[in-house]
């Protein structure tokens, strides 16, 4: 009985070992291929799976999550024979585990070389200026070409991004000088446009000022002419009234008119800015006589029997012999 018990225990242990060897647990994000006698049969999904021990075995363990592949820096010659260096990064994901495991050997190396060769092809078909300014176009073309080439391997290229493009140092210096020249040219153009606009505004201001000044002068001239017209009308009316009075036999009116004009003329002579000494004429007594005439007119107009107007009679004018000429030096001698 002791030997039989040992045999049973050994058999049970073997059965348990066989069962455990046939149970496979697949983690999330991975796919395992199953090979039977070296030939692919199926793919194990994440979770608990059973295989036939000693007949089936696990072939390839593949990561089906999106993965990143760093593309090293490489030299590229553009269409206009400019040399530059570029590096990139590629993102891919395994969609078919069997194809990725059995259609290509060393999957990552294959994707890396495929991406590098297409980078040289795509960037070599463009000029340097396009290369530096159309990075999105380069990424789109690379993604389309590399994804189409890697499709038989059961993988999906999700993104291909150019990280850096480095032209030669002398070319970078030339581009910097060109950019500086463009900016200086733009600054000069803006400065010239600003100066032109300022001159236009100043000219417009001067024009408006001249227009307003001319309008003011025209208005002033119009008002001055109107004032002279009113004065001329008043003068004509006064002359007409004096003429009517003379025609009616009133001699005092002509005396008043002449005295007024005489007085105004003497006032103009006395207030002249270029005169320091005023020499009265010899006939100054005529002015006094005119004043007497004015007094007589006032007496006729305003005088009353109770309060008669008193008119001062001027003294007789001096004779010619008594008037001394200050500029006659012969008499002093």
């Amino acid at each position: 009985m002791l030997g039989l018990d040992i045999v049973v225990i050994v058999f049970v242990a073997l059965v348990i070992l066989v069962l455990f060897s046939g149970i496979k647990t697949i983690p999330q994000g991975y796919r395992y291929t199953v090979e039977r006698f070296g030939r692919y049969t199926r793919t194990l999904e994440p979770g608990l799976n059973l295989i036939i021990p000693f007949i089936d075995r696990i072939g390839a363990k593949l990561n089906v999550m999106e993965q990143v592949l760093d593309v090293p820096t490489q030299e590229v010659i553009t269409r206009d024979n400019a040399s530059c260096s570029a590096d990139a990064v590629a993102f891919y994901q395994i969609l078919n585990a069997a194809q990725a495991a059995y259609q290509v050997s060393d999957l990552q190396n294959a994707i890396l070389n495929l991406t590098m060769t297409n980078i040289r092809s795509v960037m070599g078909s463009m000029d340097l200026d396009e290369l530096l300014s159309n990075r999105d176009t380069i990424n789109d073309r690379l993604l389309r070409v590399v994804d189409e080439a890697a499709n038989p391997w059961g993988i999906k290229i999700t993104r291909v991004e150019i990280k850096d493009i480095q032209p030669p140092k002398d070319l970078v210096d030339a581009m910097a000088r060109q950019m500086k020249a463009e900016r200086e040219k733009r600054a000069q153009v803006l400065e010239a446009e600003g100066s032109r606009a300022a001159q236009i505004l100043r000219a417009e201001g001067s024009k408006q000022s001249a227009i307003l000044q001319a309008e003011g002068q025209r208005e002033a001239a119009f008002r001055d002419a109107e004032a002279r017209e009113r004065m001329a009308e008043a003068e004509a009316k006064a002359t007409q009234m004096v003429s009517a009075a003379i025609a009616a036999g009133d001699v005092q009116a002509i005396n008043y008119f002449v005295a007024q004009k005489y007085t105004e003329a003497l006032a103009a002579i006395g207030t002249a800015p270029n005169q320091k000494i005023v020499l009265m004429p010899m006939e100054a007594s005529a002015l006094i006589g005119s004043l007497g005439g004015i007094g007589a007119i006032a007496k006729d107009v305003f005088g009353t029997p109770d309060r008669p107007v008193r008119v001062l009679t001027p003294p007789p004018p001096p004779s010619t012999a008594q008037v001394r000429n200050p500029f006659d030096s012969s008499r002093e001698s």
Side-chain angles (χ1 to χ4, degrees):
M1 292 295 294
L2 183 58
L4 182 60
D5 293 338
I6 294 174
V7 172
V8 171
I9 292 172
V10 172
F11 179 75
V12 172
L14 289 175
V15 171
I16 293 173
L17 289 176
V18 169
L19 290 176
F20 272 103
S21 64
I23 298 174
K24 299 297 181 183
T25 302
I26 311 302
Q28 185 67 36
Y30 285 84
R31 299 292 187 273
Y32 291 180
T33 61
V34 178
E35 298 175 356
R36 181 171 295 174
F37 301 114
R39 183 176 180 178
Y40 168 77
T41 57
R42 61 194 176 96
T43 302
L44 300 181
E45 299 293 330
L48 187 63
N49 296 271
L50 296 176
I51 63 174
I52 301 174
F54 308 112
I55 297 176
D56 296 338
R57 70 181 185 88
I58 301 299
K61 299 178 181 181
L62 300 175
N63 184 356
V64 296
M65 294 182 289
E66 188 172 4
Q67 302 177 66
V68 59
L69 183 63
D70 192 14
V71 180
T73 304
Q74 57 180 333
E75 294 293 329
V76 178
I77 298 178
T78 61
R79 185 171 57 186
D80 53 353
N81 295 325
S83 177
C84 62
S85 59
D87 56 354
V89 59
F91 297 85
Y92 70 95
Q93 185 178 14
I94 297 176
L95 301 180
N96 192 319
Q99 290 181 349
Y102 302 109
Q103 292 293 331
V104 63
S105 177
D106 195 357
L107 180 62
Q108 287 193 351
N109 190 30
I111 297 174
L112 178 62
N113 284 276
L114 181 63
T115 305
M116 292 177 65
T117 54
N118 282 279
I119 286 175
R120 285 194 292 268
S121 299
V122 172
M123 297 179 66
S125 63
M126 304 174 68
D127 294 333
L128 182 61
D129 293 337
E130 296 180 89
L131 205 65
L132 297 175
S133 60
N134 297 324
R135 187 168 296 189
D136 292 337
T137 304
I138 299 173
N139 294 335
D140 293 339
R141 291 178 60 181
L142 282 174
L143 176 61
R144 185 174 63 254
V145 173
V146 176
D147 182 57
E148 184 179 356
N151 187 48
W153 300 340
I155 63 174
K156 172 67 177 176
I157 306 296
T158 56
R159 288 189 300 274
V160 177
E161 301 287 341
I162 298 295
K163 291 196 299 184
D164 191 18
I165 300 176
Q166 297 180 352
K169 189 177 183 305
D170 55 348
L171 188 58
V172 173
D173 295 339
M175 293 172 63
R177 290 194 299 271
Q178 180 182 3
M179 181 181 63
K180 182 179 179 181
E182 288 292 335
R183 291 182 182 274
E184 291 178 352
K185 175 184 176 182
R186 193 180 307 170
Q188 292 176 358
V189 170
L190 292 177
E191 184 178 358
E193 290 180 354
S195 177
R196 175 174 172 269
Q199 291 178 1
I200 291 175
L201 291 176
R202 285 195 293 269
E204 288 290 337
S206 300
K207 176 183 176 183
Q208 293 295 331
S209 177
I211 291 174
L212 293 177
Q213 185 177 3
E215 290 180 354
Q217 292 177 355
R218 185 182 66 178
E219 184 68 19
F222 176 77
R223 293 183 181 276
D224 189 21
E226 187 176 3
R228 289 197 301 270
E229 181 181 359
R230 296 292 183 271
M231 290 179 63
E233 290 178 357
E235 188 74 17
K237 187 174 181 180
T239 304
Q240 184 179 3
M241 293 176 64
V242 171
S243 299
I246 293 173
D250 191 357
V251 182
Q252 300 297 334
I254 188 62
N255 291 334
Y256 172 77
F257 186 74
V258 172
Q260 182 183 8
K261 294 299 182 181
Y262 201 88
T263 305
E264 291 176 356
L266 289 178
I269 293 173
T271 58
N274 57 349
Q275 294 294 332
K276 300 301 180 181
I277 299 176
V278 178
L279 299 179
M280 298 298 293
M282 297 297 296
E283 292 79 5
S285 60
L287 174 61
I288 300 174
S290 299
L291 294 176
I294 295 173
I297 295 173
K299 179 180 179 181
D300 293 341
V301 176
F302 302 104
T304 58
D306 297 334
R307 297 180 61 185
V309 178
R310 182 181 179 183
V311 180
L312 297 176
T313 305
S319 62
T320 307
Q322 296 177 354
V323 178
R324 181 181 178 182
N325 189 354
F327 298 99
D328 192 359
S329 59
S330 60
R331 293 184 179 183
E332 294 182 357
S333 60

